[in-house]
Amino acid sequence: MATDRPAATWRNWARTESATPRAYETPESLDEIAAVVARASERGLRVKAVGAGHSFSGAAVTDGVLVSLDRFTGIEDVRPTSAGALVTVRAGTRLRDLNRLLWDQGLAVPNLGDIDVQSLAGAMSTGTHGTGARFGGLATVARAATVVLADGSVVHCSPDDHPELYEAARLGLGAVGILATITLECVPAFALHAAEAPGTLHDTLAVLERDRLAVDHFEFYWFPHTDRVLTKRNTRLPADAPGAPVGRVRGFVDDEVLANGMFEVVQRVATRAPATIPRLNEFAARTLSPREFVDRSYRVFASPRRVRFREMEYAVPVGSVTDVLTEIDAWLSRNDFRVAFPVEVRFAAADDVWLSTAHGRDSAYLAVHQYHRREHRAYFDAVEAIARAVDGRPHWGKMHGRSAADLRTTYPRFDDFLAVRDRVDPQRTFANPYLDRVLGP
Ligand SMILES: Cc1cc2nc3c(=O)[nH]c(=O)nc-3n(C[C@H](O)[C@H](O)[C@H](O)COP(=O)(O)OP(=O)(O)OC[C@H]3O[C@@H](n4cnc5c(N)ncnc54)[C@H](O)[C@@H]3O)c2cc1C
């Protein structure tokens, strides 16, 4: 049985948030999760579930009881369907483990983001997404969930069963309860053909509509202060499609030495001598050579990220990408502000998840980054103002300065979400300062 364990200081991956919770719990069963929550509620303590701590925002911070589901992992059930299978997963399962377990069953998550260390529940709860004009984020793949509410009760929810709780819980910022299990609609395992190539921003934007729609998973990185981009085109293939995974040496050289090792060196030089950044960006962009490979989908979607950075990401209506990038470029030039990190541009289909950043509209995601040793505030504030002007929505797990009053106007179902929260957590057991800001007290 889980008991109160005094907690050390907790920090998120980006080192932007920390907390010293009263207790740290690692329950191993649904009953234990329920007991931890009930006991904390009785004592008037706040409760927060934490996954891998990979949110840049303070979403997982608590001064009360921090609950990790790292010991509540694995697949509970697989029910085949005509399109794949409904797979019930324990919510603490890390995506990288889930991907391997699914592959062994001939299954896969249809789309993923660019890292795989997050917990399933943590990733879903903040609206984690990948890229692909026909695909939604992780929460759109959910079909049911088991939620532990503030009083310790356990509720199964789905579109047919407590549908409003289900809508709020599948992308709920941890505000309505602890997700214990999540049922995902998985597809047959597939491979991806990856084609990465350097190019220019001008050419990429000129054919953006074509590539966004024609390529299964299209994205690009723009190197600020230059016209250089790196495009990534991932095409879905049957799981047994012939092709070579990226060679071990080549993969090591590209991902570890260039994308991670060399990138750290670039960032350190940029920090000491910001004036060199435009030349460094040009150099970094040109060093990335074209490459193609075929591998299991989850291995292509995700790569390691060893350079620590700060990030803000905005979802904007897809038609405004060019304007937003042009404005960012103009702001950087006007203010002589140097950024040695590329801007990542991705795409997603409109969905109906209440708090999804792609709710009701085809979306483009623009992610801005800054090395963790450099000042990010002025840059992020400027990009936020530019994105807000086109009704942009911030990623819930990344840095941003928005609050409930102005988020309400961009989410048509915001008040429905708050109504569920009021009903299931009137005492605000699951609240924290971040939720007070973005949802209200
Ligand atoms: C290097 C890096 C790369 C990233 N790449 C992407 C990307 O490609 N696409 C993208 O969209 N995002 C990306 N992110 C953001 C990341 O996916 C999200 O912030 C995600 O929430 C992190 O998952 P986690 O398991 O670390 O959750 P945490 O950060 O630990 O928690 C996030 C939220 O989920 C809640 N939560 C955790 N577990 C539960 C549970 N069992 N029940 C209820 N609530 C719970 C927490 O309370 C908190 O509110 C990236 C982040 C980093 C650091």
Side-chain angles (χ1 to χ4, degrees):
M1 179 68 202
T3 51
D4 275 5
R5 274 206 282 137
T9 298
W10 169 90
R11 285 194 179 80
N12 65 346
W13 176 87
R15 303 291 185 264
T16 50
E17 301 285 343
S18 64
T20 310
R22 180 85 71 92
Y24 179 67
E25 299 281 6
T26 55
E28 292 182 33
S29 67
L30 181 56
D31 286 348
E32 284 189 19
I33 302 170
V36 163
V37 177
R39 200 169 56 240
S41 281
E42 277 161 21
R43 294 161 66 197
L45 294 175
R46 288 186 164 186
V47 179
K48 208 75 226 155
V50 66
H54 270 55
S55 292
F56 298 84
S57 66
V61 166
T62 188
D63 58 3
V65 180
L66 194 62
V67 183
S68 160
L69 299 195
D70 275 354
R71 291 185 173 172
F72 192 63
T73 61
I75 289 178
E76 284 201 343
D77 186 43
V78 178
R79 270 172 293 151
T81 63
S82 54
L86 290 171
V87 182
T88 300
V89 184
R90 292 182 170 178
T93 310
R94 298 298 174 103
L95 294 180
R96 63 170 170 236
D97 298 328
L98 175 62
N99 292 333
R100 285 191 214 109
L101 292 169
L102 288 175
W103 186 270
D104 291 344
Q105 308 249 9
L107 295 166
V109 177
N111 195 13
L112 290 162
D114 53 22
I115 58 163
D116 59 6
V117 302
Q118 308 98 314
S119 65
L120 175 61
M124 263 184 49
S125 296
T126 60
T128 295
H129 62 89
T131 190
R134 290 183 291 114
F135 298 88
L138 258 186
T140 66
V141 181
R143 294 293 172 268
T146 307
V147 189
V148 176
L149 300 181
D151 60 1
S153 58
V154 176
V155 182
H156 180 79
C157 61
S158 71
D160 306 317
D161 200 3
H162 302 285
E164 305 229 306
L165 176 63
Y166 163 75
E167 288 298 344
R170 65 176 166 153
L171 199 170
L173 312 174
V176 295
I178 295 195
L179 292 162
T181 69
I182 298 161
T183 301
L184 301 174
E185 182 160 3
C186 294
V187 297
F190 60 101
L192 283 172
H193 171 265
E196 301 175 1
T200 67
L201 181 62
H202 178 269
D203 292 350
T204 304
L205 291 176
V207 291
L208 182 59
E209 235 0 57
R210 184 200 69 192
D211 284 352
R212 179 180 75 84
L213 297 171
V215 179
D216 291 328
H217 305 278
F218 179 73
E219 69 177 295
F220 66 93
Y221 291 89
W222 168 55
F223 292 78
H225 319 294
T226 79
D227 187 41
R228 309 298 306 172
V229 299
L230 176 75
T231 57
K232 290 192 171 192
R233 294 173 166 79
N234 290 339
T235 303
R236 298 163 85 91
L237 298 172
D240 57 358
V246 64
R248 287 182 76 176
V249 172
R250 183 79 197 278
F252 178 77
V253 170
D254 283 347
D255 292 334
E256 293 299 328
V257 180
L258 293 181
N260 280 306
M262 194 194 75
F263 202 45
E264 175 72 37
V265 175
V266 167
Q267 296 305 321
R268 284 175 186 250
V269 173
T271 304
R272 281 169 171 252
T276 61
I277 288 176
R279 267 176 293 137
L280 282 173
N281 285 3
E282 189 77 31
F283 170 72
R286 288 181 188 277
T287 310
L288 295 162
S289 50
R291 62 171 180 167
E292 291 189 37
F293 55 94
V294 174
D295 207 340
R296 297 179 181 189
S297 56
Y298 64 87
R299 289 182 182 154
V300 176
F301 282 132
S303 352
R305 290 282 186 275
R306 304 203 202 287
V307 179
R308 211 179 292 279
F309 56 83
R310 311 265 155 82
E311 180 174 347
M312 182 180 74
E313 182 174 47
Y314 258 86
V316 299
V318 72
S320 53
V321 180
T322 301
D323 288 347
V324 171
L325 285 173
T326 305
E327 294 262 341
I328 295 173
D329 189 27
W331 184 87
L332 290 170
S333 304
R334 240 186 358 257
N335 292 278
D336 203 21
F337 191 95
R338 306 280 162 85
V339 188
F341 251 90
V343 176
E344 187 178 14
V345 183
R346 295 183 279 184
F347 304 94
D351 66 47
D352 61 357
V353 183
W354 287 359
L355 291 190
S356 166
T357 45
H359 183 96
R361 66 190 194 198
D362 289 338
S363 299
Y365 289 95
L366 289 105
V368 292
H369 312 75
Q370 179 66 298
Y371 186 50
H372 69 114
R373 294 180 206 274
R374 296 197 63 219
E375 176 51 42
H376 63 272
R377 183 56 73 87
Y379 177 40
F380 286 12
D381 285 353
V383 173
E384 180 153 72
I386 293 165
R388 277 192 72 169
V390 294
D391 195 25
R393 297 167 176 158
H395 190 303
W396 296 105
K398 301 188 182 178
M399 299 171 86
H400 67 90
R402 305 284 293 273
S403 56
D406 59 73
L407 288 164
R408 168 180 276 117
T409 59
T410 185
Y411 284 101
R413 307 304 297 265
F414 197 81
D415 287 337
D416 295 314
F417 184 93
L418 295 189
V420 173
R421 184 189 190 209
D422 283 343
R423 184 160 52 78
V424 298
D425 189 17
Q427 307 298 327
R428 299 291 187 259
T429 297
F430 297 111
N432 66 6
Y434 179 70
L435 292 188
D436 289 349
R437 171 159 71 89
V438 299
L439 299 177

